[in-house]
Amino acid sequence: MSSTTPSPRTLKVPLVNVYAKGGYSAQLRFGAQKQPLNLILDTGSSTLVVSGSDYVEENDSALTPTSFAQEVLYGIGGWDGPVVYTRVGIREDEIDFDIHDAHVPYAHNPIVLAQCPVAVVSSLQQETSFADADGILGLAYHSLNKAYDLKDYFNHYGIVPALTYPWPFDEEIHLCSQHFSPIISDEGQHLVGDNTTLDEHNWHQQSEGSFNSDDLRQFKRFLKRQPTSDLSPYFNALTQQGLTQNKFAFYGQRSSIHVASHEVITANSANEFAFLGQDPLNQGWLILGGGEEHTELYQGEFKTICVTENKYYNVHLIGLAIGDNPMIESQLTQSLQSTPSPQDVESLAQSNQHTHGVTINSKMRGQSNAIVDTGASAIVLTEYLFEQMKVQLKAINPQFIDLIDPFGEIAFQQQGIDMSQLQLQDWPDLHFIFVGQANAVDNQAEQICLTVTAEHYWQINSPAPEKACFKILSQLPGWPDQSILGLPLMSGYYVIFDRSAYQKGIIRFAQQKRAPTLETY
């Protein structure tokens, strides 16, 4: 019996880490012209966004404009822009550094969405959030993919057509900080409904109090006054259309670009990226729709961590152990400005039953004390954990602190230290202890330990041959007491993000399986 409903399957997508300073990107093809764009994989966001400099909307006959706008602020950087619908294909690229896997049928066949929502960034300054990639493929949960419908706003002010594409806010329309009323420049000829020009109405004159979409925080406040609209993230669309199961897996070996040769060509050139992308250490895999069946990528048993909220991939970090030293407890507690109510006390008591005594500050990005984030090329610890880590490292060897202190400046990642100063065999393993699944005997949550070795929290031959970078940072300014667990945590593991398990999902870690040629870092 034939059926028009597609069968879910896995899709094995090649990755490279050369466009985003160590972050991994996949190539997708956009629009009627199937334009190839390299997008950073980010489990810390949910939006599919591309650079307007790289995606040429004017040439896309498959483009459908909308009245929607989106905006995202990251820990560093951010963007805003219109939402359009267009054709998006994946695994249509010519990159293939893999033997086809006979045990996983059709894992290399493309998947195409005929009409997929895509945010387009038109600001050159905002595009720096993508480094040398062309955008971001957000793989977090649905609730983070917030879109704002400006149709009523446009209609109210007589802005025709009532569409966000082409983007009207960067040049022609400015906004007033008090009333959020538009200010039209001399070149703007938007019409009111009765075909009279905007100049015949009482519009605010452009002044020091006006702003446009380049002011991300002010523009965000404007957007929050508009009605929200439901847009399915890219991965949700795949699962909703029955193309894949509701999980994916990630395989990446490093958190910084491996530069083993001085033959690297002129910086930022396409030749440089192609050259670096041929290095097996700079390659990885994204498995859409599965994970366990790809036994060519992992070995041994999985360790399972619970996702505590289906927003970011929020997890509970119990503590950190340096080598054989006792665990440093994360010590994050609920901050109450006044005497807690009985409801507060009961709520905290209930949460302690499931989180080994860790309670969560209400200002967190999602209710947990840590986030597993493929879009972060470092591990960012809370200030407390970072300082305690330094104390224990200093006790092991005082010279360790002299080596890592310069990396307090993020910009030093692009300089590094001489590899000759490192003796990686002397550096201890770091053990991260998490809340796992409840066991069947007493329903108590297990403690799950994931180990990050020195070869992963130090990256050698980066950012240049014979240089090395330390990949653990302290809390970012203005960031809540919440650790960001980026690529160094995942670099030794094959990681499955299973959103279909339980109510909120789980993350599973197994040791990577590597070819013998990939052991040198």
Side-chain angles (χ1 to χ4, degrees), residues 352-403:
N352 284 341
Q353 294 174 8
H354 302 286
T355 63
H356 296 273
V358 177
T359 52
I360 306 304
N361 186 296
S362 60
K363 294 182 179 180
M364 297 296 182
R365 304 191 103 190
Q367 294 300 294
S368 75
N369 63 16
I371 297 168
V372 179
D373 187 358
T374 61
S377 61
I379 291 175
V380 185
L381 297 176
T382 63
E383 184 177 359
Y384 172 78
L385 282 177
F386 187 83
E387 292 303 319
Q388 291 299 308
M389 177 192 72
K390 287 178 62 177
V391 168
Q392 294 197 8
L393 288 176
K394 184 177 181 179
I396 296 172
N397 187 336
Q399 294 181 348
F400 286 172
I401 304 304
D402 295 333
L403 295 178

Side-chain angles (χ1 to χ4, degrees), residues 50-357:
V50 298
S51 160
S53 298
D54 301 296
Y55 164 55
V56 185
E57 313 99 287
E58 297 84 358
N59 298 337
D60 184 6
S61 60
L63 182 148
T64 302
T66 74
S67 58
F68 305 144
Q70 288 188 292
E71 189 221 36
V72 174
L73 286 170
Y74 305 110
I76 300 175
W79 56 267
D80 54 31
V83 175
V84 302
Y85 278 79
T86 191
R87 178 195 187 277
V88 177
I90 190 167
R91 206 54 173 100
E92 297 181 299
D93 51 78
E94 298 176 357
I95 301 173
D96 196 349
F97 41 76
D98 181 54
I99 299 173
H100 288 248
D101 309 301
H103 63 289
V104 188
Y106 312 114
H108 299 261
N109 293 359
I111 289 178
V112 176
L113 296 177
Q115 284 285 285
C116 180
V118 180
V120 182
V121 179
S122 57
S123 166
L124 292 176
Q125 181 178 0
Q126 294 175 13
E127 289 175 5
T128 60
S129 299
F130 311 144
D132 291 305
D134 306 318
I136 292 178
L137 174 56
L139 292 170
Y141 291 90
H142 195 157
S143 63
L144 291 183
N145 196 40
K146 189 166 290 186
Y148 301 89
D149 192 347
L150 303 183
K151 179 174 62 176
D152 292 343
Y153 173 85
F154 288 149
N155 288 336
H156 177 77
Y157 288 111
I159 299 172
V160 178
L163 300 170
T164 55
Y165 174 80
W167 189 238
F169 293 107
D170 52 355
E171 295 178 356
E172 294 181 350
I173 297 180
H174 290 254
L175 297 153
C176 172
S177 58
Q178 291 182 341
H179 305 290
F180 299 105
S181 297
I183 301 166
I184 308 302
S185 70
D186 293 339
E187 297 177 359
Q189 292 299 317
H190 298 291
L191 298 180
V192 183
D194 59 0
N195 291 332
T196 57
T197 65
L198 290 170
D199 292 337
E200 295 177 39
H201 290 256
N202 295 322
W203 301 100
H204 292 277
Q205 296 299 310
Q206 189 167 343
S207 65
E208 292 182 0
S210 67
F211 64 95
N212 61 28
S213 67
D214 290 339
D215 187 339
L216 281 172
R217 295 192 182 278
Q218 188 80 299
F219 193 68
K220 188 178 188 71
R221 287 193 283 272
F222 159 71
L223 289 178
K224 284 186 174 181
R225 293 172 177 248
Q226 315 307 319
T228 57
S229 183
D230 186 63
L231 286 181
S232 287
Y234 172 79
F235 184 68
N236 288 61
L238 296 185
T239 62
Q240 289 164 1
Q241 296 185 31
L243 299 172
T244 67
Q245 299 287 355
N246 192 20
K247 59 182 176 178
F248 59 89
F250 173 77
Y251 178 104
Q253 302 166 79
R254 286 177 59 89
S255 57
S256 292
I257 302 170
H258 187 246
V259 188
S261 169
H262 289 281
E263 297 179 41
V264 176
I265 310 170
T266 308
N268 298 323
S269 70
N271 288 334
E272 178 197 10
F273 296 136
F275 181 87
L276 291 170
Q278 294 172 1
D279 185 336
L281 288 176
N282 292 330
Q283 300 170 356
W285 293 105
L286 169 67
I287 308 297
L288 291 175
E292 291 88 350
E293 55 274 89
H294 285 267
T295 54
E296 74 279 7
L297 296 178
Y298 71 94
Q299 56 192 339
E301 299 297 321
F302 282 95
K303 298 179 178 181
T304 301
I305 296 174
C306 289
V307 174
T308 63
E309 185 175 4
N310 49 358
K311 187 175 183 178
Y312 302 88
Y313 291 93
N314 296 91
V315 297
H316 282 320
L317 176 64
I318 300 170
L320 170 65
I322 312 299
D324 296 328
N325 289 311
M327 182 183 73
I328 308 164
E329 294 186 3
S330 53
Q331 291 194 351
L332 300 181
T333 58
Q334 181 74 28
S335 177
L336 297 174
Q337 300 299 321
S338 58
T339 303
S341 67
Q343 292 83 2
D344 291 329
V345 173
E346 181 180 359
S347 175
L348 294 177
Q350 290 176 350
S351 67
N352 284 341
Q353 294 174 8
H354 302 286
T355 63
H356 296 273

Side-chain angles (χ1 to χ4, degrees), residues 430-444:
L430 306 183
H431 306 289
F432 291 80
I433 297 91
F434 297 91
V435 173
Q437 293 175 290
N439 62 53
V441 178
D442 56 8
N443 202 35
Q444 291 297 305

